[in-house]
Amino acid sequence: MNKDLNKDFNLQINCELYSGYLYLGMSEWLNRHGWIGAAHWMQIQALEEMTHAEGLMKWVQRNDGELELPAIEAVEIKFDSLLDVFEKAEAHEKYITENINKLVESSKKSADRASKLFLDWYVMEQVEEEENARDNILGIKLCKDDRAALIAWDHGMSHREFHHPTIPYLD
């Protein structure tokens, strides 16, 4: 792995770790405000982000790159509402998609076809992440101000289970 691509992978690893940290912060806010199911959903999301970082780390190691793990930026745990949490999560996923796309371009520029192929999984994962974010926002908006509907929506969020993803080309 050349130095420029290695640097870009390290930046993405930091972004994924930050994502996990951000979602833990969102989970804390949700829990503190009584949205226990949504807090659980965000905890699972944080775990997913950590596995995304782990996959990138393994790829760097497998390709004789060097890992750098700088400090993770602090997250703000202040939100205006349940909807605000999920709108910010959606905006963050769009930001991560942009970064993944930049990493793909970096792998192309470096003529690293293996890394480009490896990153295809991350590209498709981001399609799912953005879809989930939109679905969560839609669920909240469909409830409008109906407290019973929001409580039912929140309960449904508590059923999410963590399944460790199988990221291709790592095993």
Side-chain angles (χ1 to χ4, degrees), residues 68 75 157:
E68 294 177 14
V75 298
M157 296 290 276

Side-chain angles (χ1 to χ4, degrees), residues 37 40-48 128 132 155-165:
H40 168 79
W41 194 96
M42 281 294 181
Q43 286 177 337
I44 300 297
Q45 191 64 27
L47 288 172
E48 271 198 14
E128 179 185 329
N132 287 341
H155 179 72
M157 296 290 276
S158 69
H159 298 295
R160 185 178 189 192
E161 295 180 5
F162 177 70
H163 301 283
H164 199 287

Side-chain angles (χ1 to χ4, degrees), residues 15-167:
C15 283
E16 298 293 340
L17 293 171
Y18 175 82
S19 296
Y21 206 43
L22 175 65
Y23 293 135
L24 286 175
M26 289 177 170
S27 177
E28 163 57 21
W29 187 93
L30 291 162
N31 188 61
R32 195 170 357 110
H33 288 84
W35 300 108
I36 306 306
H40 168 79
W41 194 96
M42 281 294 181
Q43 286 177 337
I44 300 297
Q45 191 64 27
L47 288 172
E48 271 198 14
E49 301 304 335
M50 297 300 289
T51 63
H52 297 166
E54 178 186 25
L56 293 167
M57 291 167 67
K58 286 180 179 179
W59 185 256
V60 169
Q61 292 167 332
R62 184 172 189 187
N63 288 277
D64 202 28
E66 291 185 32
L67 284 177
E68 294 177 14
L69 297 172
I72 301 168
E73 185 181 332
V75 298
E76 186 71 34
I77 308 179
K78 293 180 183 174
F79 303 98
D80 296 329
S81 65
L82 175 66
L83 182 59
D84 184 43
V85 171
F86 284 93
E87 287 177 337
K88 286 190 170 129
E90 179 189 33
H92 182 73
E93 287 302 335
K94 288 179 178 181
Y95 168 74
I96 294 299
T97 297
E98 289 175 21
N99 288 340
I100 291 290
N101 289 336
K102 288 176 186 174
L103 185 55
V104 168
E105 290 305 312
S106 179
S107 70
K108 288 179 184 178
K109 182 179 177 186
S110 300
D112 188 330
R113 296 174 112 174
S115 290
K116 173 19 184 119
L117 184 61
F118 169 74
L119 290 169
D120 284 348
W121 182 87
Y122 283 85
V123 170
M124 296 311 297
E125 178 67 12
Q126 282 310 118
V127 171
E128 179 185 329
E129 297 287 14
E130 287 192 32
E131 179 182 30
N132 287 341
R134 286 190 308 273
D135 288 348
N136 289 336
I137 291 168
L138 179 61
I140 295 166
K141 286 182 175 181
L142 287 173
C143 292
K144 299 190 182 198
D145 290 327
D146 184 337
R147 193 76 173 155
L150 284 168
I151 290 168
W153 174 86
D154 184 60
H155 179 72
M157 296 290 276
S158 69
H159 298 295
R160 185 178 189 192
E161 295 180 5
F162 177 70
H163 301 283
H164 199 287
T166 303
I167 302 173

